[in-house]
Amino acid sequence: MKRLLKLIAIGLVAVSLNSCLAGKYMSHYALQPTPHGVDDIERTRHKADSLLPGSTAWYDNLKAQGILKDTWTTSWDDKKIHACYVPAANPAQANGTAIVVHGYTDNHFVFLYLVRMYRDILNYNVLFPDLQYHGYSEGDEIQMGWYDRYDIEKWIPIAHELFQDNFMVLHGVSMGAATVMMASGDPLPDYVKCVVEDCGYASVVLQFNNTRKQSFGFIPPDILQSASLVTKKEYGWSFWEASSVKQLEKSTVPMLFIHGDADDFVPFSHLQMNYDAKKQGYKEMYVCPGAVHANSYQKDPETYIFKVSNFLKTVKNMIQLGSYPDGEACGYIVK
């Protein structure tokens, strides 16, 4: 019996050590992918053009004219972080300012289609940052939106100072969507009037668990706990606390929720979880039929632009009336 207990104890120690090693690997695999930052710029420039042809030529042309510019600030944890900004196509008649936030392993180039939408079609000023560990920004790891929200909260007053208007929208895609949802639960300046989230996850643990099942099905789910403990020790936060849902429960700012119903990377079910979590304030939902992850604009750009534009107009009308309507508006588009 003593021998058996000893063997069991040794086995448990071995399993525990393997779990710790697997957790450490998973944490680093997810939060420190390579290549990243400036080493990954060229890939993302090509990706920007694949999402909307001519995007990088548009970017380069405005930059050569001195219209589109770079700016830098210090992050919440004293890293040097980068953003680009560009005034509205007709600055004198600008409708407001948009902050566009990119997704996981992307950077400010990738969502130029949204920058172009806001600037050239909706006549908004735009600031579009590189999150930490992405693009030209410093940072030791990806923060999955949880700490990124603090950096967005630093960019908000900078964008306000640059453009001097009092209507700001935060618009994020994928991890960027999680970032703006998470930020929406914090105290924000009065001039941040609304948020648009496109295919953001309900929480980091749910997203990582879905990735685990899709890509590493042989890894047991309890490895997430080990990886979360490693992340907490090394980076200061855990998978379980990094929750869009928990932040949305505190959010009062008007919000448009967008998701493709064919998305299985951030499962379509996350849309309803996020939407239901927001109990306070005006909200709308747009489901893009047949769109896979981060594909709603490319699947149906006309409807996407209409839904965003109409949402912004609705919020402005409500501000002018001095009140928000009771209830909610759902924007399901079925074709």
Side-chain angles (χ1 to χ4, degrees), residues 117-325:
M117 177 190 77
Y118 274 106
R119 180 187 186 269
D120 295 348
I121 300 174
L122 304 181
N123 202 42
Y124 273 66
N125 310 301
V126 191
L127 182 139
F128 46 118
D130 288 325
L131 300 177
Q132 287 197 40
Y133 202 77
H134 299 81
Y136 298 118
S137 290
E138 296 179 346
D140 299 320
E141 78 285 336
I142 294 176
Q143 302 180 130
M144 298 304 296
W146 187 238
Y147 283 168
D148 292 310
R149 77 188 200 274
Y150 296 141
D151 288 339
I152 295 303
E153 289 164 18
K154 294 203 70 173
W155 285 120
I156 286 170
I158 292 173
H160 181 65
E161 181 67 24
L162 284 169
F163 299 118
Q164 295 292 312
D165 64 62
N166 291 310
F167 187 95
M168 184 177 291
V169 53
L170 310 181
H171 189 139
V173 179
S174 191
M175 187 178 79
T179 302
V180 298
M181 285 191 286
M182 291 171 179
S184 77
D186 293 342
L188 297 174
D190 290 342
Y191 51 80
V192 178
K193 301 299 186 184
C194 56
V195 172
V196 179
E197 77 86 16
D198 181 345
C199 65
Y201 40 81
S203 71
V204 169
V205 69
L206 288 175
Q207 181 55 34
F208 280 171
N209 191 48
N210 185 65
T211 303
R212 178 195 63 79
K213 289 187 290 186
Q214 287 186 334
S215 303
F216 306 100
F218 59 90
I219 297 177
D222 58 357
I223 294 300
L224 288 170
Q225 181 66 52
S226 178
S228 181
L229 290 171
V230 170
T231 301
K232 181 71 172 180
K233 180 180 179 180
E234 295 192 3
Y235 308 130
W237 58 278
S238 73
F239 297 170
W240 272 260
E241 70 182 293
S243 169
S244 300
V245 164
K246 290 178 181 178
Q247 289 293 99
L248 286 167
E249 290 171 353
K250 301 182 289 182
S251 173
T252 60
V253 65
M255 191 170 301
L256 170 61
F257 296 82
I258 300 173
H259 221 107
D261 65 6
D263 190 347
D264 63 355
F265 183 75
V266 175
F268 179 56
S269 59
H270 285 227
L271 171 64
Q272 199 66 50
M273 285 187 278
N274 289 329
Y275 188 80
D276 291 344
K278 183 172 169 56
K279 306 292 187 184
Q280 306 174 72
Y282 180 76
K283 58 184 178 180
E284 293 182 11
M285 178 191 293
Y286 165 46
V287 176
C288 184
V292 295
H293 185 62
N295 176 241
S296 294
Y297 182 97
Q298 287 69 38
K299 189 71 174 177
D300 189 351
E302 183 177 343
T303 300
Y304 193 104
I305 293 167
F306 170 77
K307 292 298 298 182
V308 172
S309 176
N310 192 63
F311 170 71
L312 296 172
K313 290 175 182 176
T314 298
V315 173
K316 287 191 171 187
N317 288 337
M318 292 187 296
I319 291 171
Q320 290 178 352
L321 291 172
S323 64
Y324 296 102

Side-chain angles (χ1 to χ4, degrees), residues 44-108:
T44 50
R45 282 178 64 90
H46 287 301
K47 185 175 180 180
D49 282 329
S50 73
L51 294 172
L52 183 61
S55 287
T56 55
W58 174 89
Y59 173 99
D60 292 339
N61 180 53
L62 289 179
K63 199 160 192 181
Q65 295 179 64
I67 297 172
L68 189 154
K69 300 178 181 179
D70 298 280
T71 186
W72 303 82
T73 192
T74 303
S75 71
W76 69 274
D77 57 349
D78 296 323
K79 303 292 194 308
K80 188 178 181 182
I81 53 174
H82 166 264
C84 287
Y85 65 96
V86 63
N90 181 0
Q93 301 296 322
N95 287 313
T97 296
I99 295 182
V100 173
V101 187
H102 67 76
Y104 179 84
T105 70
D106 291 325
N107 58 50
H108 72 280

